[in-house]
Amino acid sequence: MWFRATLALAMTAVAAAPALAAKITVSQYGRLVATLPWAVAMEKGMFKEAGLDIDGITAGAGGGTSLRNMLAGELPYAEIATSAAIAGSLAGVELKALASSSNHIGELTWAAKPDAGINSIRDLVGKKVAYTSPKSITEMVIRTALKHEGLTGKVEVLPLGGLGPALTALAQGAVAAAPWNDPALTVTPDKYKVLFYGHQYYPKFTWQVAVTTKEFAAKNPQMLRKILAVHRRAVEFVYGNREETARIYAKVWEVSPAEAGAILPKYYEWQHWSRGDFSKEGLAAVNDGLISVGEFKEPFDWGRLIDQSLLDEDLRRPL
């Protein structure tokens, strides 16, 4: 797989529990709304209350980078993209996916310039459309959306390396549409014209999971149970304390309280944050997406990766 060599270098001493205060790795922390419960946990002192000597969060850049950060750190626990967890497992890293962080794809959308005369996905026929990188969630969504609309082969899709470069290409007229997300989606709604949302095609999508190594899980189950319990408690706080959650979001995401209040309501409607439970439908969507981008020919066997034994019993689901 694509990061086999660098993962091998990082797999050195990750089995023992950290003796000093440690950090957990959370992919796209402070950028994607799915990571909000961790900001709540930090702000409310939940790690300390749980008896955990965790004093910070490493904001992984996503993909294999977050997994490498986890393996190189003192505490091998991370929240990463499901596709990255699968890739790491297939590359030889003995991983366990302990919990789901989100079973909803969130606000991911594709947008066009407002004056381009493009009003829907069907207006993209014969045009170029951006996604972030090969095998990414954005590639899975755009290919699935085009297939669903009978437009496969009628629209040219291009990987441009990230959301920033994709939007730059859109602004310059190099592509007709590009992926777009919050906070800009809500804060500057007139900047682009939304064509469709990813969740129109994937109502459930288990795109972010909590992982550790099999060795660490075997030696430190109680510590991991506490971390999972902190995340669940933080998610419950998010759902039950909207005003204070919005204040925390505004602080960590560096937006105004008014902007935070405008951004978050739809995530509550979507039940965006998972308490840890996996979605069978969401996992099936991941398999569908991976097959759509040519990563697999057959569905991935989740039994190779997922271990629900450290979750609270009421959160365990048949997969």
Side-chain angles (χ1 to χ4, degrees):
M1 299 295 287
W2 41 274
F3 53 93
R4 183 187 301 271
T6 48
L7 286 180
L9 291 173
M11 293 169 61
T12 49
V14 296
L20 301 174
K23 292 177 171 58
I24 61 172
T25 298
V26 178
S27 182
Q28 305 292 343
Y29 175 70
R31 292 189 287 273
L32 297 182
V33 181
T35 66
L36 178 55
W38 293 117
V40 168
M42 291 298 300
E43 290 291 322
K44 303 300 292 184
M46 292 181 182
F47 288 113
K48 184 177 180 180
E49 290 179 7
L52 292 165
D53 200 6
I54 294 172
D55 65 353
I57 294 171
T58 299
T65 301
S66 296
L67 184 53
R68 288 191 293 272
N69 288 346
M70 180 197 85
L71 294 170
E74 294 179 336
L75 174 56
Y77 181 97
E79 195 170 277
I80 64 175
T82 308
S83 55
I86 293 172
S89 177
L90 294 176
V93 185
E94 293 193 335
L95 291 175
K96 285 180 178 286
L98 306 176
S100 169
S101 307
S102 180
N103 294 310
H104 188 279
I105 207 164
E107 82 286 13
L108 179 65
T109 184
W110 265 255
K113 290 196 289 187
D115 59 353
I118 299 173
N119 300 305
S120 75
I121 188 172
R122 293 192 169 275
D123 294 330
L124 296 174
V125 172
K127 297 179 174 61
K128 296 178 180 179
V129 175
Y131 62 92
T132 57
S133 57
K135 317 297 185 185
S136 65
I137 291 174
T138 57
E139 184 184 7
M140 296 179 198
V141 172
I142 188 60
R143 292 196 184 278
T144 296
L146 293 173
K147 179 181 177 181
H148 183 88
E149 299 294 341
L151 302 178
T152 299
K154 299 178 182 179
V155 179
E156 184 178 358
V157 293
L158 303 171
L160 294 183
L163 291 173
L167 289 173
T168 298
L170 176 60
Q172 295 174 346
V175 296
W180 197 28
N181 64 357
D182 275 328
L185 175 64
T186 301
V187 173
T188 56
D190 298 329
K191 189 171 184 179
Y192 299 108
K193 184 178 184 62
V194 172
L195 305 180
F196 67 90
Y197 285 88
H199 61 74
Q200 293 175 231
Y201 300 97
Y202 283 128
K204 292 289 185 182
F205 197 93
T206 304
W207 62 277
Q208 189 103 325
V209 294
V211 299
T212 189
T213 64
K214 289 183 179 180
E215 188 175 6
F216 190 85
K219 294 185 177 181
N220 302 279
Q222 293 307 317
M223 181 182 190
L224 291 169
R225 285 192 181 96
K226 288 182 179 180
I227 295 174
L228 294 173
V230 165
H231 185 264
R232 179 177 187 170
R233 181 184 171 195
V235 170
E236 298 287 3
F237 184 96
V238 168
Y239 284 123
N241 301 272
R242 296 192 181 191
E243 289 187 8
E244 189 168 359
T245 295
R247 287 194 291 271
I248 293 172
Y249 178 85
K251 176 182 177 181
V252 177
W253 270 254
E254 299 181 341
V255 299
S256 72
E259 289 168 341
I263 289 167
L264 292 179
K266 57 183 174 289
Y267 293 89
Y268 289 103
E269 294 177 14
W270 295 331
Q271 292 289 293
H272 186 61
W273 303 279
S274 169
R275 294 165 176 81
D277 49 317
F278 290 93
S279 163
K280 186 174 182 178
E281 181 184 356
L283 291 171
V286 174
N287 266 329
D288 179 78
L290 290 168
I291 291 171
S292 74
V293 298
E295 185 72 2
F296 295 133
K297 294 183 178 180
E298 297 179 353
F300 179 73
D301 178 7
W302 295 111
R304 296 180 56 179
L305 181 64
I306 293 175
D307 181 351
Q308 301 183 75
S309 64
L310 299 181
L311 280 175
D312 293 336
E313 190 169 351
D314 66 309
L315 297 178
R316 300 172 194 174
R317 302 284 184 265
L319 304 179

